[in-house]
Structure formats: structure tokens, C-alpha cells
């Protein structure tokens, strides 16, 4: 991380609830964490990517957000810990074990300890909070639910659990659809409703995460979407599609396979009915009118977050849009 002037720090007393997946969402959350106090925003994280592997409970998006905020994430991969070693994985492979999912030696401690704590009855929320605190992260990171939900990718051949599709099969199978196993019985994290209760004017921000496999599982938890809609602040999404492609991950490929054009316009249509505004990149400025015709307000800025400065600027821009909403300048 480079030098970022602290003059960016600002107050945002209405509160903000950001819905996030892994890598892309974590980048925006870092930006927000540099300009807001940790008490001023709640990060609701997707748990549809979670799975059991080698007897361990793995929560990739929670770990990515936590490691990123702790400045411990491997910047190049976007997930896992920096300065990682792979002795466990290599030895496992040497024994003929299941080595397709890359668990680093340091990262392994997180999964082992989380699995232990869950087995003795702790909730995923309390484990997440404890780990964040141990890593020096004061931001409020909460799983969408404490109950098990698994994103299933329906492909032309078979139904695959998300990590099997994403990591083992390298997103190669053709996507036909998605469903979220267990979601019907999942209770939304009570901390989200509590936050909405205490911050009735909170803004809701959908991070530039994959709409199908990161944001939809969160909005699909029974009652959660309506609870978020009931708060009075603006609901804003940042398009994960920039100039027809995704910065990282399979969002654009998924859209093509589903017969949806991979454009910011399609993102607007996907979130229509939930969002008031969509933040798009300069390179998509030609879509301004077409998107605004749907009744969704459009803001144009730089949404590519390569540097820390990019992240802080985008976070600040989102806060400016939210302020403008209250000043009735939309
Ligand atoms: N992503 C990969 O592409 N390959 C991996 O082997 C891999 C391992 C892994 C281990 C722990 C962890 O927290 C994340 C890991 N990820 C890996 C990332 C993860 O699959 C994705 O970030 C998310 O699930 C998509 O949001």
C-alpha cells in the first residue's frame, strides 16, 4: 500500500451497509475503511462459496475480506495470505491426497481453528469477529447467515458446488443457472437487521462483486432483501462489468453463457427493483442514457481499483453520491 493522505477521513453518520463477495468487494471495503470509522459501516459477506474440504470449514469470501482489511492478503492472487508457504499442500499431494484447492500453511490455521470453534458451538459470526479482532481489524464483518448455504452452479453436464466449478474446474463448464442449496431454511444474520434498526437512513452499497454468485446469495436469504429495502438511504451498486468484461473472475463468461450481454446495462437490469443508482466506469459512459431510461440513476467515475488511491477515491465517490441523495441533488 502506498501513501494515502488522511485528509480523506470523513464522517458518514447515517451508516452504510455494503454487500460483498471476495476479491472485488474486499477492494472497495478497504477504500471505505480508509475514509470511514469502523463503526460507520457494516460489511455483509457472501457465504455461498463456503464448503467443507479435507474436514475443514472454508469461508473464502469472509477470509478474503478479513485478510485484505488486515493488509495480509496476497495482492497478486487477491486471496490467501502473503508470504505463504505450501509445505502442507505439497506433502498432501505427495501422499496422493486431494490437492486441487490451494491451502497455504499459514491460511490453514484459520480453517483449522474455525472448524474447531464451530464444532464446539460457536456461530460463524462470532468466529469471524474473533478472527478479525486477532488480526487487528476493527471493521464489522458479518456473514450473511450463520446457517449453511451452498452456491450450486448448474452446468450443461452436472451441478457443481461453487469451489469445484471455480477452482477445480477453472470455470470451464458452461453455466446454465445457479441455485443456493439450503437458502430456504437460512435465517439472515440478526446483526444485519439490528444494524438496519439502529441506522434507519443507512445507504446500501452492492460492491462490484459477481451478481450471480456473490450478491444474489446474500439478497436471496429469506427476508434480507426486504429488510435492506426498508431502510431509507439510497441503494447503490457498482458495476462489476467494465467495458464488456469483468476485472477478475467469471462474471462476463457466465453472462455470455446465460445469454445475457456482458454489459453494465445488463447489470442495471439484473438489480432493477432493488437499486436506485448504478456506478459505472468512464469507459461505459456511452450507456448513461440507456441505463437512466430504466429509472436507475447513473454515476460515472473510475471503477477500476488497482491502487489504494483508486480504492479510496471510489469509496469517496460513493459517499459523495449518497450525500447528494440526501441533499436532493439526484
Ligand atoms: N482461488 C483459486 O483460484 N484457487 C485456489 O486454489 C484457491 C484457494 C483458496 C483458499 C482459501 C481461500 O480463502 C480462497 C481460495 N481461493 C482460491 C479463492 C476463492 O476460491 C475465491 O476467491 C472465491 O470463492 C470467489 O469469490
Amino acid at each position: 500500500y502506498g501513501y494515502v493522505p488522511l485528509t480523506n477521513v470523513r464522517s458518514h453518520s447515517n451508516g452504510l451497509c455494503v454487500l460483498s463477495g471476495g476479491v472485488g468487494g474486499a477492494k472497495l471495503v478497504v477504500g471505505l475503511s480508509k475514509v470511514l470509522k469502523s463503526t460507520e459501516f457494516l460489511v455483509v459477506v457472501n457465504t455461498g462459496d463456503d464448503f467443507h474440504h479435507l474436514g475443514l470449514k472454508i469461508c473464502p469470501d469472509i477470509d478474503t475480506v478479513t485478510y485484505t482489511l488486515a493488509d495480509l492478503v496476497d495482492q497478486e492472487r487477491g486471496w490467501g495470505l502473503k508470504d505463504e508457504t505450501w509445505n502442507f499442500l505439497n506433502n498432501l499431494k505427495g501422499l496422493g491426497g486431494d490437492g486441487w484447492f490451494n491451502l497455504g500453511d499459514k491460511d490453514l490455521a484459520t480453517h483449522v481453528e474455525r472448524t474447531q470453534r464451530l464444532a464446539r458451538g460457536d456461530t460463524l459470526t462470532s468466529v469471524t469477529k474473533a478472527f478479525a479482532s486477532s488480526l487487528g481489524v476493527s471493521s464489522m464483518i458479518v456473514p450473511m447467515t450463520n446457517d449453511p448455504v451452498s452456491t450450486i452452479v448448474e452446468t450443461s453436464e452436472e451441478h457443481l458446488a461453487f469451489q469445484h466449478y471455480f477452482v477445480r474446474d477453472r470455470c470451464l463448464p458452461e453455466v446454465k443457472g445457479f441455485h443456493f442449496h439450503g437458502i430456504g431454511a437460512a435465517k439472515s444474520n440478526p446483526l444485519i437487521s439490528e444494524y438496519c434498526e439502529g441506522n434507519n437512513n443507512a445507504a446500501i452499497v452492492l460492491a462490484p462483486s459477481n451478481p450471480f454468485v456473490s450478491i444474489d446469495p446474500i439478497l436471496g436469504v429469506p427476508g434480507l432483501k426486504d429488510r435492506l429495502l426498508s431502510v431509507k438511504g439510497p441503494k447503490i451498486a457498482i458495476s462489476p462489468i467494465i467495458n464488456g468484461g469483468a476485472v477478475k473472475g467469471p462474471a462476463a463468461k457466465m453472462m455470455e453463457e446465460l445469454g445475457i450481454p456482458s454489459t453494465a446495462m445488463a447489470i442495471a437490469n439484473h438489480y432493477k427493483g432493488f437499486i436506485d443508482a448504478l456506478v459505472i466506469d468512464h469507459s461505459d459512459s456511452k450507456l448513461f442514457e440507456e441505463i437512466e431510461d430504466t429509472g436507475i440513476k447513473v454515476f460515472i467515475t473510475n471503477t477500476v481499483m488497482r491502487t489504494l488511491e483508486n480504492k479510496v477515491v471510489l469509496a469517496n465517490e460513493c459517499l459523495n453520491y449518497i450525500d447528494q441523495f440526501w441533499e436532493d441533488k439526484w
Side-chain angles (χ1 to χ4, degrees):
Y1 287 144
Y3 167 75
V4 173
L6 283 173
T7 50
N8 284 310
V9 172
R10 58 193 281 172
S11 169
H12 188 74
S13 52
N14 280 333
L16 188 154
C17 178
V18 51
L19 311 192
S20 175
V23 183
K27 288 182 180 179
L28 177 73
V29 171
V30 162
L32 289 168
S33 76
K34 301 289 176 189
V35 294
L36 294 175
K37 295 193 201 83
S38 56
T39 51
E40 288 178 321
F41 65 103
L42 180 75
V43 189
V44 177
V45 182
N46 169 44
T47 58
D49 290 14
D50 297 7
F51 76 133
H52 283 93
H53 184 59
L54 308 174
L56 302 171
K57 169 82 168 179
I58 318 255
C59 304
D61 287 354
I62 289 175
D63 291 347
T64 298
V65 170
T66 307
Y67 291 166
T68 304
L69 282 171
D71 199 7
L72 291 172
V73 81
D74 182 281
Q75 297 275 340
E76 207 154 302
R77 291 194 303 271
W79 52 268
L81 291 162
K82 61 185 170 190
D83 305 321
E84 188 57 280
T85 55
W86 306 92
N87 296 305
F88 160 77
L89 189 75
N90 290 333
N91 278 20
L92 180 72
K93 285 180 186 167
L95 294 170
D98 216 350
W100 59 269
F101 194 73
N102 292 289
L103 292 176
D105 298 335
K106 294 182 184 184
D107 186 33
L108 191 57
T110 300
H111 314 303
V112 169
E113 183 57 17
R114 175 166 42 225
T115 306
Q116 298 285 311
R117 291 191 190 200
L118 292 174
R120 70 175 195 225
D122 291 6
T123 63
L124 185 57
T125 301
S126 74
V127 177
T128 301
K129 186 177 177 189
F131 286 5
S133 166
S134 297
L135 297 178
V137 173
S138 57
S139 301
M140 301 182 286
I141 306 167
V142 300
M144 65 191 200
T145 176
N146 286 311
D147 301 320
V149 174
S150 310
T151 295
I152 305 295
V153 184
E154 300 163 3
T155 76
S156 38
E157 299 285 311
E158 58 190 326
H159 288 184
L160 292 168
F162 181 75
Q163 296 301 333
H164 289 75
Y165 162 80
F166 187 80
V167 178
R168 193 194 63 190
D169 297 349
R170 291 174 288 124
C171 307
L172 291 174
E174 186 184 341
V175 170
K176 296 282 182 204
F178 308 93
H179 65 269
F180 310 113
H181 184 77
I183 204 152
K187 288 175 290 301
S188 74
N189 192 322
L191 292 179
I192 304 169
S193 196
E194 203 176 287
Y195 186 81
C196 293
E197 189 97 38
N199 297 275
N200 203 27
N201 290 330
I204 311 295
V205 175
L206 309 188
S209 299
N210 187 309
F212 308 101
V213 295
S214 298
I215 304 297
D216 283 358
I218 304 178
L219 294 176
V221 176
L224 192 44
K225 189 175 181 177
D226 287 339
R227 189 67 188 95
L228 296 173
L229 277 172
S230 74
V231 296
K232 298 201 172 61
K235 283 96 197 150
I236 298 180
I238 298 153
S239 176
I241 297 291
I242 299 174
N243 199 19
V247 174
K248 198 175 192 288
K253 179 178 182 279
M254 286 174 170
M255 291 170 93
E256 281 154 26
E257 290 168 353
L258 293 169
I260 306 167
S262 61
T263 61
M265 178 68 210
I267 299 295
N269 282 327
H270 188 81
Y271 289 138
K272 198 161 176 259
F274 184 79
I275 57 169
D276 304 298
L278 184 69
V279 181
I280 64 172
D281 192 70
H282 286 295
S283 59
D284 287 317
S285 55
K286 59 189 176 301
L287 298 173
F288 180 91
E289 271 187 22
E290 196 188 342
I291 299 174
E292 285 226 325
D293 283 346
T294 67
I296 293 170
K297 172 113 188 102
V298 175
F299 294 106
I300 300 173
T301 187
N302 174 32
T303 64
V304 184
M305 294 178 281
R306 292 205 203 288
T307 65
L308 178 59
E309 196 192 350
N310 294 156
K311 294 166 197 157
V312 171
V313 168
L314 180 58
N316 255 319
E317 286 287 74
C318 290
L319 296 173
N320 290 337
Y321 306 145
I322 292 162
D323 288 348
Q324 285 176 39
F325 171 88
W326 290 113
E327 288 159 17
D328 227 4
K329 287 181 184 158
W330 274 26

